[in-house]
Amino acid sequence: MQALYLQALDPIAEVINDPNSYGFRQERSPADAIEQCFSVLSRQNCAQWILEGDIKSCFDQISHEWLLANIPMEKGILQRWLKAGFIEKYVLHATEEGTPQGGICSPVLANMTLNGLEKELRERFPKHPREGRNEKINFVRFADDFIVTGKSKEVLENEVQPFVEQFMKERGLTLSQEKTLITHIENGYGPIITGMWSVRKPFTKWIMRSFRRYGNGQKGGTHTSPTPGSGRNTSNLMGGRTGCSQEKFLDARVHFNRFACSRQIASLLKGTSRFAVKPIPTILNGKCTLKNGLT
């Protein structure tokens, strides 16, 4: 039944979704979210401060009243899903808030609940560089994790965060006090998992410097990977002033993977890495072994 309603609800959600929302959407992935983060943070004149937002128990605390009032589907069916409850150890537990546990519609319902935050941020903090009113507010979200960039820590702390908290409160949600941080780009940020490792970041700073230093500075023709130490000054990997060139970004990313990852893997094996790495467990001969050699 949920799959049948999902076929009608998903196209509606795609139309009204925030432009920079990347979680639980077709044809979108964490790599797209990372690329958008790169686009809004990699230039020298970009925002330097980041609000890392994490919603506390997002799927479990969404307000049923808000869903019933705002989700465009048959209310009786939706109410039955939300109030169905769950069975644990042969005991039926009522559900007074949150989306159905394990329901295939839950990701779409969560996305539709969080939609509109990017639009409201743009309306609240419009970009008017000529008038001197540009707080450099940008928004990127993946599922219930998001970042908001800002010109200064004060803007994010005193204006943006209270605005986001009020938006969440209307939907029965709150920000996690432990995981919601305001961070400078030099210290890095890490709501999005990149590749095998979840890294918090002197690494971010190093990535940006590597892109700026080793990216292909050509503005046309073939894209060749420059060698480290070539002294090639990228006129930004961005394809000039008009925007980010996808080919140049991908070309630099391939070069970065070859050059940077080999260095980091070597330092990890030697035990001299400066970066915080989350070990990945593997099963070998019935024994759980972590990548760093611990068992």
Side-chain angles (χ1 to χ4, degrees), residues 231-244:
R232 196 177 286 179
N233 182 17
T234 118
S235 50
N236 271 335
L237 203 126
M238 308 276 132
R241 294 186 177 182
T242 56
C244 179

Side-chain angles (χ1 to χ4, degrees), residues 67-116:
L67 289 172
L68 290 169
N70 293 275
I71 300 300
M73 64 170 289
E74 188 176 344
K75 306 304 179 183
I77 296 295
L78 179 58
Q79 185 170 16
R80 292 178 188 176
W81 291 351
L82 298 176
K83 303 296 185 182
F86 64 95
I87 296 176
E88 184 178 7
K89 295 182 179 180
Y90 305 102
V91 178
L92 176 63
H93 300 269
T95 50
E96 301 300 330
E97 58 185 5
T99 55
Q101 293 285 334
I104 60 175
C105 271
S106 294
V108 175
L109 294 176
N111 266 341
M112 297 182 76
T113 302
L114 299 175
N115 284 338

